[in-house]
Amino acid sequence: MASAELRNVAIDAASYFSDIRVPATFLAGSAVGGLFTMKSNQQQLKTMPRVEYWVRIVYTFLMFTTFLLSMNTAIMASSAFLTTKNTAVYNPMATSAFELLVREFNYELTITRWSYEISMISFIVAIMLRLLLEFDAFDKAAPRRRKSFAAAILLFTSSLAAHLMSFINTRMYQFKSIGALTIEVVKLVAGKNLKGHPLAALSVICAVMGALLLGRGLAMPPV
């Protein structure tokens, strides 16, 4: 079998970053809107069911996660897009655009790919939670008809999530699953940020401290 011919695939590689930043930007905008759709005062928080309280917390953090990861995707992709245009700083010759991306832009490819896929899944789950709240799924006094609608929404969303996870896991190419991709992202971020620019190290430190404070907040009484 003849080997594939080397060719200049810089334009093809650049199109990946150009294409992914557009939907990521729209997703970030939708997440911003979703963050401010539910406002509850202190009195409402004290009287609402405990399950509904925690669902609102999870919804907010899922939308926030969607916003952060989508912005990360859009900004990194925009920067990488410009870099791919400067073929003087790397070798644009490869048998395919994917081969070039893995060889020359593995960090940008892996991070944007993971960020975008996780942000989409986070957004889908957040929308499901918002609809469950809309149909009073956690209110014991709600009519059975509304609870049936809520159960249907849960099942439809679960069906979509399972389908997407199955599809994503079979299209990883480099990795066995999105879990393996996540582990690779942790390795890349820790390895690059802790040894790189001081602001990169600060990014890791802030993320760790944020996770600790999140855990502290979850361990406290609801109100």
Side-chain angles (χ1 to χ4, degrees):
M1 182 176 180
S3 58
E5 181 182 355
L6 288 175
R7 57 192 179 89
N8 188 331
V9 293
I11 295 178
D12 296 334
S15 66
Y16 163 77
F17 295 114
S18 177
D19 293 342
I20 199 173
R21 62 181 176 173
V22 176
T25 302
F26 284 122
L27 192 58
S30 299
V32 170
L35 278 172
F36 301 101
T37 57
M38 291 192 298
K39 293 183 179 180
S40 302
N41 57 40
Q42 193 69 10
Q43 188 61 34
Q44 289 175 319
L45 293 176
K46 290 181 179 180
T47 57
M48 72 174 52
R50 180 67 61 87
V51 175
E52 181 178 344
Y53 171 84
W54 284 113
V55 169
R56 286 172 175 263
I57 294 294
V58 173
Y59 167 84
T60 301
F61 273 98
L62 285 175
M63 278 299 184
F64 184 54
T65 299
T66 300
F67 170 73
L68 290 180
L69 293 181
S70 297
M71 288 303 299
N72 182 57
T73 301
I75 294 172
M76 284 194 67
S78 296
S79 176
F81 173 75
L82 293 176
T83 304
T84 56
K85 293 295 186 179
N86 186 10
T87 56
V89 299
Y90 71 94
N91 179 13
M93 304 300 291
T95 57
S96 68
F98 186 75
E99 178 188 318
L100 176 64
L101 288 170
V102 172
R103 188 188 72 215
E104 302 287 347
F105 301 96
N106 186 57
Y107 182 82
E108 293 86 346
L109 170 66
T110 304
I111 299 300
T112 55
R113 184 181 184 184
W114 178 84
S115 294
Y116 184 60
E117 290 174 352
I118 296 298
S119 66
M120 287 193 297
I121 294 171
S122 178
F123 186 74
I124 291 171
V125 176
I127 292 299
M128 179 196 70
L129 294 179
R130 181 66 182 87
L131 288 173
L132 292 180
L133 291 171
E134 186 69 24
F135 283 97
D136 304 317
F138 310 103
D139 185 355
K140 294 181 180 180
R144 293 180 61 184
R145 185 166 182 261
R146 294 182 67 81
K147 286 187 175 293
S148 294
F149 288 149
I153 289 170
L154 176 62
L155 291 173
F156 285 141
T157 310
S158 298
S159 173
L160 175 62
H163 166 70
L164 291 177
M165 290 300 297
S166 174
F167 178 80
I168 291 172
N169 286 335
T170 57
R171 295 295 188 274
M172 284 284 101
Y173 298 117
Q174 288 175 280
F175 310 97
K176 294 182 179 180
S177 66
I178 197 168
L181 175 61
T182 302
I183 294 174
E184 181 65 18
V185 167
V186 173
K187 292 179 180 178
L188 286 174
V189 171
K192 185 179 182 65
N193 288 8
L194 293 178
K195 299 177 182 179
H197 195 277
L199 287 178
L202 178 62
S203 170
V204 174
I205 294 172
C206 288
V208 172
M209 292 180 64
L212 292 175
L213 289 174
L214 175 60
R216 179 187 176 188
L218 293 175
M220 291 180 177
V223 291

